[in-house]
Amino acid sequence: MCGIIGFCGYLDAKEELVKGLAELEYRGYDSAGIACFTEQGIEVVKSVGKVEGLRNRIPAKMETGCGIGHTRWATHGGVSEINAHPHTCGSVTMIHNGIIENYHALAEELKETGRTPVSQTDTEIAAMLLDSLYQGDALAALRGAVEKLEGAYAFCILFADQKDVIYCIRKGSPLVCCSSEEGSVVASDMVALLRYSKEYFVLPEFQVAKVTKSGISVTELDGTEVSPSMLSIQWDMSAAQKNGFKHYMLKEIHEQPEAIRRTLTPRMKKGRYLLPDFAEDGIPDTVFLQADRIVIAACGTAMHAGMLGRILMERLLRIPVSVEVASEFRYADPILDEKSLVILVSQSGETADTLAALRLAKEKGAKTLAVVNVKGSSIARESDYVLYTHAGPEIAVASTKAYTAQLAALYLLVFRFAYVAGKISAEEVSGYMKELDGVGELIEKVLERKEQVKELSKRLTPVQDLFFIGRGLDYALACEGSIKLKEITYIHSEAYAAGELKHGTLSLVTGGTPVIALATQPEVFGKMISNVKEVRARGAMVILITKEEKKDGLESGIFEEHLVIPFCRDIVAPFAAAVYLQLLAYYTSSYRGLDVDQPRNLAKSVTVE
Ligand code: F6R
């Protein structure tokens, strides 16, 4: 949410900033702006809309080696040039990712110093505060500001009298840093660092990075020098590019077989039996054996992965498992103790509500385990244990490969837990693991059938409303199918537990209403087909998803379109169904002519609450 970048070095800084902003644009695309040191002082250029618009506004003759850039997802104040970052007050020019919660009270206080904002943003108030505290000593001003600011922030700050220096500090929101021969770079996400270096560090909270072209020094707020721990990026630039695909989303859908293999392979211990093993992740079996209840907290798609995980856990472990929307969990005064295991699921590892849920769980003495994609992210660092999904960078706002990799990681956790708790035998686990090992191939087979989904999507293109229905694992999938479709096609859709539809919502199903019915699980298959008939009787246009083995026994006329999951064990069918749902959303959005990768009002990595 909001992308920020700072560059100080031996290249044309304005060019580097714009390239970086284009890479960070998935974090927000309401407006963009840069501020650079030039011979004339600090020059600021802003524009409403995407980074491309900003590029066209930057004077070619601007000479600069140091500056900061921002791409905005609006929180405080509408989408306008005046609200676009960077914001300036006196000697301070800065960019911000996060939310200053007490900005209103601070603005009132600062009035007395004669400073009045011109924008409606919380960031401008932070700039005013810093300007009021700055008397040539950046650390002193930052110390004063940190004491007063409430909320979350990653700041990159230019002080007018300190040419070619960027100061950075953060609380809550992410900021990663690297140095290379070309110069020093800071950014919200390492995708913007890749062109410079594979070695980077996460700026620790409340420490200050002083960025110059010769390097980055980090100190505590009192000036004590610190050396942050270095991390390495495992992938290269091509992983963060479209590589011939029209959209990142389509590329990421196709990357799923490989992403899942990367999640599974390091944890598959081959011996007499194929068992999941977390020795290299440093997750001891005691984590599972001591837990008498599990809570999964996450947001959006990650939460839908958790819903599926929950069903499997309860089925195989027979202990209570709940799934919590992280933003609700943190205010619900949850009942947790040292025997509770809280699993946080997050692609970015920076989602503010999931991070807050983690902190609350720790406060209450629960053990915490994170299933995270982004290495070194806040949730990964703060959890007791972390299981990385290794799905690689996910750039499209709509999550695809991160979701199926989360599912794979949750399956591994369930199997290991059930095995060490003696709930299933080594032989049974091994059987499940072999199925899981074949998921990459299963998805490849579904991808071979994408032309059918593409064709079918034409029928959804003009639609206003539709429904997804399913039971059990399929209900969790229905929720995921629905959010995917909504977010990128702007079609109103609802996910319903199939048996619940007739308790009110069925009144919305009329002639031609599309209903996407998932019937992949044998124990509820008969009941699902009854629910399909109920909507069919009201004239619904049914798109049915079943497994191959059910294909022949289906009554004619109960569906208009049929998507078939290739032969596989029931437990892994959700992976295949998920890919069908992703393709359906993707092609429908494409046919509607929408911005698939950057849907309106949304942004990836939701670092505000
Ligand atoms: C939807 C989507 C979001 C995220 C949610 C949590 O396609 O991507 O619903 O799943 O914002 O994000 P992470 O996983 O980064 O915590």
Side-chain angles (χ1 to χ4, degrees), residues 281-283 287 341 344 358 362 365-370 379-386:
D281 301 287
I283 306 173
V287 176
L341 172 63
L344 298 306
L358 160 68
K362 289 183 85 170
K367 284 274 168 296
T368 54
L369 189 159
I379 294 172
R381 279 181 293 111
E382 291 190 31
S383 293
D384 297 321
Y385 305 99
V386 56

Side-chain angles (χ1 to χ4, degrees), residues 298-303 345-351 354 379 394 396-400 402 406 480 483-484 487 603-606:
C299 300
T301 285
M303 200 255 305
V345 187
S346 175
Q347 188 284 128
S348 62
E350 299 293 349
T351 299
T354 312
I379 294 172
E394 192 180 64
V397 165
S399 184
T400 52
Q406 284 160 356
E480 176 52 17
I483 195 178
K484 209 91 309 169
E487 69 177 321
K604 209 161 181 75
S605 192
V606 184

